[in-house]
Every structure is written in structure tokens, then in C-alpha cells.
Amino acid sequence: MKHYFSLRGPFDVKEVSIYVEKCSRASEGYNFYYVLEDLLKERLAGKVAWTRECWVEVCIDGSDARVVAEQHICAATNDEISSRDGQAFNAINGPSFTWKEIWPVLGKKFGAEVPKEMFSNDFWFATAINDKKKVWQEIAVKEGLLHTEMEDLANLGFLDILFRSPMKMLGTRGKADHRFGFTMRCQTLESILYWIDSMREEKLIP
């Protein structure tokens, strides 16, 4: 919803608005998400999915939901840092990773054939998978899965942006580790495999 409007007064008027994806941008006020969207389009113009750098280099940090939850609990129950003003702490797994390490393991996890060279700079998730909605429904019925729409389980557009980003998005755990001794860490590969198993138990994926 933050994409569709800018927070601006007056706020004493009760109003109900229904937004759909085709809604145009708000004409008044300031919306950070418009700036972010324009910046991404500018930076990514002419780029292709799966750049070699994103494939072989450390480009982004992982954040397991369990790590994030535990860090929230630690921050909320630690009298030395808990305050109404609040503080910012990076909630990231810790150990770095590359997609080159992750994807072959994921392929084997799902029983797929894993080629020796998996990198492809012309593969787009949205293009390759977006028209497979009927196929997904057939798989769901065959495997006895809960009824879900494919887009509920995978944000294909986000993946295409993630794997062609010209910027490295890395953080540090220094403040969380040293200021209040938060020591929980998680290997991103193990995290992904854990959540795959969880989604299988919930009958969301085969």
C-alpha cells in the first residue's frame, strides 16, 4: 500500500480507498518508493539477468526469519538498549555466500538435473515462468498441495532485479554482535534448505 499514496494531511477525514496494480502514482506529496523505483529503472537499464558478478561474487546478505525474530526479542528484553527512541540493528545471517554455491544444491534438493555450468546471462524468471500458472496448478493437484497461486509463492520480478543488480548490498553485524552480544548466526544455504523443508511440510511445494 505504501506504493500507492503519500502520507499527507489532513488526517481527520475518514476515507476508504481500494488500490489495484494499475493505479497511477499519487500526484501530491512525497513518496520514497517512487524515487526508489525510478532509481532502479535508471541503474538497471540495459542490464541482463544473472550478471557474472552476481553469480560468483558475494553481492547480498541473507536474513533468516528466525535470526530476525531472535534479534527483535533480544533488543526488546535488553534493558541497556531498549528505549522508546529505538535503535537500528542490521539483522543478517552473518556468514557470506554466493549464488554459485547455492543454486546447484537447490537443484539437487528438488531432484532436478544440475548442469556443470549453470550460469546464464539471458535467463529471466518472469519470462520463463510467468506463463506456467496452469502447469503449477496441475503440479499442486498431482502432489496433493494446498491451493495457491504461483505468484503467492515466488516474486519473479524481484528475482530478476536481485540477480542483475549492479550494486552490492552488504551489511555488518558489528553493532548487534558487540553492543549487546547477539551471537546467533545462520548459514544462508542451510536457512534456505530449512525453509524448503518447512514449506513441504505445510504442503505448499512438492
Side-chain angles (χ1 to χ4, degrees), residues 12-135:
D12 57 348
V13 178
K14 292 185 178 180
E15 181 180 347
V16 177
S17 299
I18 305 298
Y19 297 98
V20 297
E21 288 82 353
K22 294 181 180 180
C23 288
S24 58
R25 292 181 175 185
S27 59
E28 300 178 8
Y30 176 82
N31 191 318
F32 164 77
Y33 294 93
Y34 299 161
V35 179
L36 181 61
E37 182 179 1
D38 291 340
L39 177 62
L40 279 173
K41 289 180 178 179
E42 177 184 340
R43 293 291 182 89
L44 300 179
K47 301 291 182 179
V48 295
W50 278 117
T51 63
R52 176 67 67 174
E53 291 78 9
C54 288
W55 178 248
V56 301
E57 298 179 8
V58 177
C59 292
I60 194 171
D61 289 306
S63 295
D64 189 290
R66 296 166 296 175
V67 173
V68 176
E70 286 296 327
Q71 185 168 311
H72 275 71
I73 293 172
C74 287
T77 57
N78 188 319
D79 293 335
E80 295 183 5
I81 62 173
S82 180
S83 68
R84 291 185 177 181
D85 295 333
Q87 295 190 51
F89 293 94
N90 289 338
I92 55 180
N93 290 342
S96 60
F97 70 94
T98 67
W99 293 116
K100 183 179 180 179
E101 301 167 347
I102 299 287
W103 279 93
V105 179
L106 294 186
K108 293 178 181 178
K109 179 75 171 178
F110 285 103
E113 182 179 348
V114 179
K116 185 176 181 180
E117 176 56 68
M118 295 187 69
F119 174 77
S120 173
N121 65 0
D122 58 359
F123 180 84
W124 292 72
F125 284 92
T127 302
I129 304 177
N130 195 49
D131 62 346
K132 303 297 189 298
K133 295 181 180 181
K134 183 178 179 180
V135 175

Side-chain angles (χ1 to χ4, degrees), residues 128-161:
I129 304 177
N130 195 49
D131 62 346
K132 303 297 189 298
K133 295 181 180 181
K134 183 178 179 180
V135 175
W136 170 249
Q137 295 301 331
E138 293 174 353
I139 293 174
V141 172
K142 179 181 178 181
E143 300 293 336
L145 306 178
L146 295 176
H147 176 75
T148 57
E149 298 298 333
M150 190 171 63
E151 54 267 29
D152 294 334
L153 300 175
N155 188 330
L156 304 179
F158 173 75
L159 291 178
D160 284 330
I161 291 176

